[in-house]
Amino acid sequence: MGLIVQKYGGTSVGTIERILRVADRIISYKEEGHDVVVVVSAMGKSTDVLVDMAKQISAYPSEREMDMLLTTGEQVSIALLSMALHTKGYDAISLTGWQAGITTEAIHGRARIKQIDPERIQSELGRGRVVIVAGFQGISDEGEITTLGRGGSDTSAVTLAASLNALKCEIFTDVSGVYTADPRVVPAASKLDTISYDEMLELANLGAGVLHPRSVEAAKKYKVRLVVRSSFTAEDGTYVEEVANMETGRVVSGVAHDEDVAKITVVGMPAKVGTLSRLFNTLADNQVNVDIIIQSSYDATVTNISFTVAADDLKKALDTLDRNKTELGFEKVDFEEGLTKVSIVGSGMIHNPGVAAEMFRVLAEKEISIKMVSTSDIKVSCVIPATLTELAVRSLHSAYGLDVEETAVVHGV
């Protein structure tokens, strides 16, 4: 017996009935003799509701005030779950991120955790309490409330597990584990028993929403035993570990897709040393994350640079480029929305030539145009029209032998 950290997502605590069900699951762990720390997200779509209210007041609300607003969602969840445990005869206490000792960078909306002081949590555990922590949030050294970005509760849970030396960190969600594709898009997707940190990190970065990428980075760095499970069934989940068991005959472990993609092309940049540095440092200084990058030169003095950003960051990126047009020295900016990045991932790709060629063949056969390509040792990504997302994902899933006869079940939707 020992300490277990659990994280419950928004669908898992989306109603009072589900909160009571989560309380029962926590109690089952307590009755087995475990200490339990629980990280909770905001209920259901409550974060979206808060965002919508803010946008009704201002098209560009203050990032600081948005953090003040959005952190209230998790505070509702933790208080209600703590109350549920009280009514069932178990001692529990709810803590905000800052009460739990989570210190972050002084960045609003996308802060990273700098350190965790576990003293308060350890003290409460010593009193026999279940500790319920608000995910997604912390406090900066300057005393400002911060958020970790969407999905940041996963990161809260993993880093807490690392700082508390927990036996494992269980991420409870609306699916039974990590699947070979999003079962909402591919009903023939199969659940993986194990997956490596590296494969999971690629899938998370490429749009597989079951885990936040930063949580996988933290799990790999601190060797946290990570399990993805359903909060609606008792089914075994997927273990994320250093080296996963090899899936017989599988070169590709999964197909991921990200529909939150926009393409920007900066036309007529000076073709000289330092151009790329100036362009992407300018974007980075304005908190714009860039993904796929392609440079194309059509004469000795001028170059075009294309790159992808999250669709939500498109306006910020365009505004940043417009403000810095004279300094950067480009002619104009073109952009394209309505795109998806579809990717294949698998550690077996390293030693198997022709995997990328097969991807291109499948997409061409379905008459799906490829606008950009990015590769690494264990993944290939293509940017395609968003209208063809389901066709692309299902076709690739079948082509790499990932289909199963059973239909995947998604709970809580």
Side-chain angles (χ1 to χ4, degrees), residues 327-345:
E327 178 185 344
L328 295 173
F330 58 83
E331 295 175 11
K332 65 175 184 175
V333 174
D334 294 328
F335 66 92
E336 185 175 0
E337 299 178 90
L339 301 175
T340 291
K341 180 173 64 176
V342 61
S343 309
I344 55 173
V345 175

Side-chain angles (χ1 to χ4, degrees), residues 1 39 44 48 94 107 165 198 231 235 255 268 287 361 390:
M1 299 301 108
V39 175
D48 293 334
S94 62
I107 297 173
N165 295 313
D198 289 337
S231 60
E235 184 179 347
V255 181
Q287 304 299 315
R361 183 196 67 77
E390 289 194 9

Side-chain angles (χ1 to χ4, degrees), residues 234-300:
E235 184 179 347
D236 289 338
T238 300
Y239 282 82
V240 185
E241 42 195 40
E242 188 60 46
V243 180
N245 296 328
M246 294 301 293
E247 296 281 347
T248 303
R250 279 188 177 174
V251 175
V252 173
S253 296
V255 181
H257 68 281
D258 179 4
E259 297 176 282
D260 182 31
V261 177
K263 175 186 174 185
I264 296 175
T265 300
V266 183
V267 179
M269 289 282 289
K272 58 185 179 181
V273 175
T275 292
L276 290 174
S277 175
R278 287 193 298 276
L279 172 61
F280 293 110
N281 276 322
T282 299
L283 292 167
D285 289 344
N286 287 272
Q287 304 299 315
V288 176
N289 290 322
V290 172
D291 187 15
I292 301 173
I293 301 171
I294 295 177
Q295 181 177 9
S296 57
S297 299
Y298 51 88
D299 66 36

Side-chain angles (χ1 to χ4, degrees), residues 1 58 85 102 123 131 144 181-182 246 327 387:
M1 299 301 108
S58 170
L85 287 164
I102 299 175
S123 174
V131 181
E144 293 289 339
D182 186 339
M246 294 301 293
E327 178 185 344
T387 54

Side-chain angles (χ1 to χ4, degrees), residues 170-412:
E170 295 184 324
I171 306 294
F172 287 92
T173 182
D174 55 0
V175 291
S176 299
V178 180
Y179 280 75
T180 51
D182 186 339
R184 299 172 182 84
V185 175
V186 185
S190 59
K191 182 172 70 70
L192 300 169
D193 293 330
T194 62
I195 188 170
S196 70
Y197 288 122
D198 289 337
E199 288 175 314
M200 188 66 248
L201 183 56
E202 287 284 13
L203 287 172
N205 276 314
L206 295 169
V210 69
L211 282 175
H212 193 282
R214 279 155 53 187
S215 71
V216 184
E217 289 177 355
K220 178 178 173 65
K221 180 178 180 180
Y222 298 111
K223 299 295 186 289
V224 174
R225 192 180 185 212
L226 193 57
V227 190
V228 180
R229 301 185 59 186
S230 171
S231 60
F232 298 93
T233 71
E235 184 179 347
D236 289 338
T238 300
Y239 282 82
V240 185
E241 42 195 40
E242 188 60 46
V243 180
N245 296 328
M246 294 301 293
E247 296 281 347
T248 303
R250 279 188 177 174
V251 175
V252 173
S253 296
V255 181
H257 68 281
D258 179 4
E259 297 176 282
D260 182 31
V261 177
K263 175 186 174 185
I264 296 175
T265 300
V266 183
V267 179
M269 289 282 289
K272 58 185 179 181
V273 175
T275 292
L276 290 174
S277 175
R278 287 193 298 276
L279 172 61
F280 293 110
N281 276 322
T282 299
L283 292 167
D285 289 344
N286 287 272
Q287 304 299 315
V288 176
N289 290 322
V290 172
D291 187 15
I292 301 173
I293 301 171
I294 295 177
Q295 181 177 9
S296 57
S297 299
Y298 51 88
D299 66 36
T301 61
V302 180
T303 186
N304 294 343
I305 302 169
S306 297
F307 54 92
T308 60
V309 297
D312 290 344
D313 282 344
L314 177 61
K315 188 178 189 314
K316 183 191 293 187
L318 294 175
D319 289 346
T320 298
L321 291 169
D322 183 61
R323 290 196 307 271
N324 293 276
K325 181 176 182 180
T326 301
E327 178 185 344
L328 295 173
F330 58 83
E331 295 175 11
K332 65 175 184 175
V333 174
D334 294 328
F335 66 92
E336 185 175 0
E337 299 178 90
L339 301 175
T340 291
K341 180 173 64 176
V342 61
S343 309
I344 55 173
V345 175
S347 57
M349 293 168 57
I350 300 174
H351 304 296
N352 286 272
V355 177
E358 174 68 2
M359 183 180 192
F360 303 148
R361 183 196 67 77
V362 170
L363 295 179
E365 188 177 82
K366 299 299 181 181
E367 298 185 348
I368 299 172
S369 62
I370 300 173
K371 298 178 178 293
M372 302 178 81
V373 176
S374 174
T375 66
S376 74
D377 285 343
I378 64 171
K379 66 96 174 171
V380 182
S381 298
C382 295
V383 176
I384 64 170
T387 54
L388 300 173
T389 299
E390 289 194 9
L391 175 62
V393 173
R394 290 176 179 173
S395 299
L396 291 169
H397 196 268
S398 295
Y400 289 105
L402 300 177
D403 285 357
V404 294
E405 292 182 4
E406 299 86 357
T407 298
V409 177
V410 181
H411 300 274

Side-chain angles (χ1 to χ4, degrees), residues 3 35 37 91 93 95 99-100 117-131 164:
L3 171 64
D35 288 329
V37 173
D91 197 4
I93 185 170
L95 301 175
Q99 288 175 317
D117 180 355
E119 182 178 354
R120 174 72 185 275
I121 294 177
Q122 290 170 334
S123 174
E124 301 296 350
L125 289 171
R127 295 175 181 153
R129 290 173 166 170
V130 175
V131 181
L164 294 165

